Amino acid sequence: VHGIGRAEIACHGVYFSHETSTHASPQASCSGNEVAALRSAFGDDLLSKLLILNTKGFTGHPMGVSFEDVAAVEVLMRQTVPPVPNFKERDEYLGDLNISKGGPYACRYALRFAAGFGSQVAFALYATAQNQ
């Protein structure tokens, strides 16, 4: 609609994951489902460029849900990303992902995924007005 394609988001954006990054498995995995959807939307090549964030390890799940829209805007304003808290090792089931280690990060877009009970799903795409 606004001329923003997948490649633009993947190469110049950050993705605020809904999942709390709990261990993924084929039997039961919100993380696995979320990453599978990202792979379907972006493909492996673009997904490897998209920086994945999650702040729920800092705030807890209920607080993180309400806080991450503010965090997305702050990331765009400050051009700095938080690390994914407590990330220590790659989950083989999820494969190679570009997980935030925190620090300065030039980005134009923040894509935020929110989900709730009863199959409520929302995506918000924030963009900076600053020229990059």
Side-chain angles (χ1 to χ4, degrees):
V1 169
H2 297 284
I4 303 169
R6 292 176 188 147
E8 178 76 7
I9 293 169
C11 296
H12 303 287
V14 296
Y15 174 73
F16 278 82
S17 160
H18 173 77
E19 180 51 46
T20 55
S21 302
T22 53
H23 177 71
S25 72
Q27 293 79 24
S29 173
C30 291
S31 291
N33 291 334
E34 188 171 350
V35 170
L38 287 170
R39 284 193 199 292
S40 176
F42 288 98
D44 285 330
D45 184 49
L46 287 178
L47 183 56
S48 70
K49 296 174 176 138
L50 182 63
L51 185 66
I52 298 175
L53 308 174
N54 190 300
T55 64
K56 292 178 188 79
F58 291 120
T59 61
H61 195 93
M63 185 75 119
V65 170
S66 64
F67 176 76
E68 283 187 335
D69 286 305
V70 174
V73 172
E74 285 293 317
V75 161
L76 292 175
M77 288 176 52
R78 297 176 188 268
Q79 297 291 292
T80 301
V81 294
V84 172
N86 304 313
F87 179 71
K88 293 183 175 60
E89 62 186 68
R90 176 180 171 269
D91 189 320
E92 293 294 327
Y93 181 71
L94 297 178
D96 290 325
L97 298 170
N98 187 11
I99 304 293
S100 176
K101 295 174 182 71
Y105 191 79
C107 56
R108 294 182 196 145
Y109 307 101
L111 180 60
R112 161 105 158 81
F113 171 46
F117 294 112
S119 299
Q120 299 173 25
V121 176
F123 281 90
L125 179 63
Y126 298 96
T128 181
Q130 300 169 357
N131 293 328
Q132 304 271 328

